[in-house]
Amino acid sequence: MARWWRRRAAEDGEGVGAQPPPDPNAQPPAGGPGNARRPAGGHITFTEVTEGQPEQEIARVRISAEELHTMRARSAINTLGSEHPDALTAIRELAQVLVTIPGRGEEAVELYQHVARTQWTTLGDRHEETLRASAELAEALHTTGQLSLAETAWRDTFRAQAETLGRDHPDALRSATRLAAVLEDLGRAPEAEPLVRDVLERRIRQLGPEHPDVLSATNEHAASLLKCGRHEEAERALRALVSRLEDRYGPDDEHTIAARSNLGAVLVRLDRHAEAEEHIRAVVRATEATLGPDHETTFTARNNLAAVLHAQERYEEAVPILRAILSRHVALRGDDHPVTVATRDNLANVLIDVGHHAEAAELLDRCVRDYRRLHGPGHPGLRAAEERLAWLRS
């Protein structure tokens, strides 16, 4: 009787084969790209096949998401060629995995670029698949900290979607929101606020004031006001929003927590420190319990707690919080990511007030190099870090 081995790869909880593309109308997870669902790994099953008898599984080996999707992409490319639609789907899925792995972002960007170029050439620059690939590339550039390139990519994607689909289309609204996020990360919050406000106004007209997407957009606009220094406006918007969210979702829901976190940050800026600390400590407890220690909202809440402790000159309490945040950002995002750099800058500021000037100077020297690399000359963060470093060295 004939007998042979058969190997079969499968993703955990799913069948073999390409997964469908993401819903273009779905909203991004709260907190931005860093909180996207991480792709699952899978397993390879070895089966003994004997003529005339049922297949018998003899071994199952677990493989990571990276290994699984690398195998799929290589198989599709070797079988179909790198420009075949099924191969492009497999390449996109591999890129989605790589962009979540610290140090692999550049590879993910290269894969997204290949998909976008191919779609542009074969389908045209206004085709639905081309626009989707362009948005994925822009998001990957933002996630990996290539902010200037991300700004260009999001502007091009937003313009094409607005012209092709209309300004009110969900894809165009999402691209406007993501472009605003890049502008804020570049230190250009006043340019971002009109985009965020326009998205909010369009969603209200489309969906009504109580729709979940409108409530999320209201929180995003309030956060934009905060970043612009319009603190009183932000406080009014957030107090009204928190009340609505608590009534709709409860105090411990992710939407409510995000708005309360922003409200706490506003109260810090308004020098109402005792009230701010009460809000922020409640948010930290809730986020750690419900969202986990590595969620973006949790990082924001803990950073806000360090800020309010710093404002109250409780430096020795703020330092370990910022050290822990920096350590996790390094592990999750990499040592050179803009969020990591900003956290390093925050830690340096507190260390100056503690009197640990040598360590602060070392951190600021690294920040100056990173800001210059990320943003070029003239960026507000670069100028501030250079001034503080010069003061320490003098």
Side-chain angles (χ1 to χ4, degrees):
M1 292 188 296
R3 175 182 295 179
W4 67 93
W5 307 109
R6 177 176 294 168
R7 185 182 74 173
R8 183 171 63 249
E11 189 167 349
D12 285 345
E14 301 180 8
V16 179
Q19 300 305 307
D23 179 1
N25 296 322
Q27 295 303 304
N35 292 314
R37 182 181 69 87
R38 293 184 182 274
H43 58 268
I44 296 177
T45 301
F46 294 87
T47 303
E48 182 181 19
V49 181
T50 303
E51 186 177 345
Q53 296 184 16
E55 293 185 10
Q56 181 178 358
E57 181 179 317
I58 59 174
R60 177 175 292 201
V61 180
R62 289 194 59 81
I63 56 177
S64 67
E66 177 190 354
E67 293 168 327
L68 175 66
H69 288 281
T70 298
M71 289 167 53
R72 286 181 174 175
R74 286 176 177 170
S75 175
I77 291 169
N78 291 337
T79 304
L80 305 170
S82 64
E83 297 184 355
H84 189 279
D86 290 347
L88 294 177
T89 297
I91 292 169
R92 287 174 56 216
E93 291 172 349
L94 175 58
Q96 290 167 4
V97 174
L98 294 179
V99 80
T100 69
I101 302 174
R104 306 296 299 278
E106 291 288 344
E107 297 172 65
V109 166
E110 290 177 5
L111 295 178
Y112 280 127
Q113 287 173 330
H114 168 75
V115 174
R117 282 195 301 266
T118 303
Q119 300 287 32
W120 183 292
T121 302
T122 59
L123 301 175
D125 62 341
R126 293 297 191 266
H127 191 277
E128 179 183 1
E129 288 298 321
T130 304
L131 295 177
R132 182 176 298 161
S134 298
E136 290 174 338
L137 172 59
E139 188 68 40
L141 289 166
H142 190 185
T143 300
T144 55
Q146 301 178 63
L147 299 183
S148 296
L149 292 175
E151 179 190 354
T152 300
W154 274 126
R155 284 193 186 280
D156 291 344
T157 302
F158 174 48
R159 185 183 303 110
Q161 289 171 336
E163 293 173 356
T164 305
L165 307 172
R167 285 289 297 269
D168 289 334
H169 191 278
D171 287 0
L173 294 177
R174 180 179 183 274
S175 293
T177 300
R178 299 308 301 147
L179 172 58
V182 175
L183 292 172
E184 289 173 349
D185 287 347
L186 285 166
R188 292 153 57 190
E191 293 179 53
E193 187 274 332
L195 282 169
V196 181
R197 175 167 25 92
D198 182 69
V199 170
L200 172 59
E201 291 170 352
R202 291 175 186 276
R203 289 200 183 282
I204 290 174
R205 289 197 298 269
Q206 290 175 346
L207 306 171
E210 298 302 320
H211 191 279
D213 289 349
V214 172
L215 297 176
S216 295
T218 302
N219 187 47
E220 290 169 354
H221 183 241
S224 183
L225 292 172
L226 168 61
K227 292 170 185 174
C228 289
R230 296 159 62 179
H231 301 145
E232 291 79 8
E233 293 177 70
E235 183 194 6
R236 288 194 297 271
L238 286 165
R239 284 198 183 280
L241 178 61
V242 167
S243 177
R244 292 162 65 191
L245 292 172
E246 288 180 338
D247 290 342
R248 185 183 184 98
Y249 298 114
D252 295 329
D253 181 84
E254 180 177 351
H255 301 82
T256 309
I257 289 169
R260 288 194 68 189
S261 180
N262 285 334
L263 177 58
V266 170
L267 293 172
V268 174
R269 305 300 195 283
L270 292 171
D271 294 329
R272 287 149 61 180
H273 298 147
E275 185 182 3
E277 183 178 351
E278 180 181 354
H279 267 282
I280 294 169
R281 286 195 182 277
V283 169
V284 169
R285 289 192 296 270
T287 56
E288 290 180 343
T290 60
L291 304 177
D294 291 335
H295 193 279
E296 192 62 35
T297 303
T298 306
F299 284 131
T300 299
R302 295 176 68 203
N303 190 74
N304 289 343
L305 177 58
V308 75
L309 293 172
H310 186 199
Q312 297 176 85
E313 300 183 359
R314 293 156 62 183
Y315 307 128
E316 297 293 348
E317 296 177 61
V319 167
I321 295 173
L322 289 172
R323 287 195 192 279
I325 295 173
L326 177 59
S327 175
R328 291 308 298 154
H329 280 318
V330 169
L332 294 170
R333 300 174 181 269
D335 206 47
D336 298 327
H337 191 278
V339 173
T340 307
V341 177
T343 305
R344 187 178 291 117
D345 196 345
N346 289 341
L347 176 57
N349 286 337
V350 180
L351 289 172
I352 290 173
D353 290 326
V354 175
H356 297 171
H357 291 172
E359 183 181 1
E362 181 180 346
L363 293 176
L364 284 172
D365 183 67
R366 174 67 185 273
C367 289
V368 165
R369 296 197 305 271
D370 287 335
Y371 281 138
R372 189 175 291 122
R373 172 180 53 81
L374 290 168
H375 307 304
H379 186 267
L382 172 61
R383 290 198 302 268
E386 287 175 332
E387 289 172 2
R388 281 177 275 126
L389 182 58
W391 177 82
L392 287 172
R393 287 176 171 171
S394 67

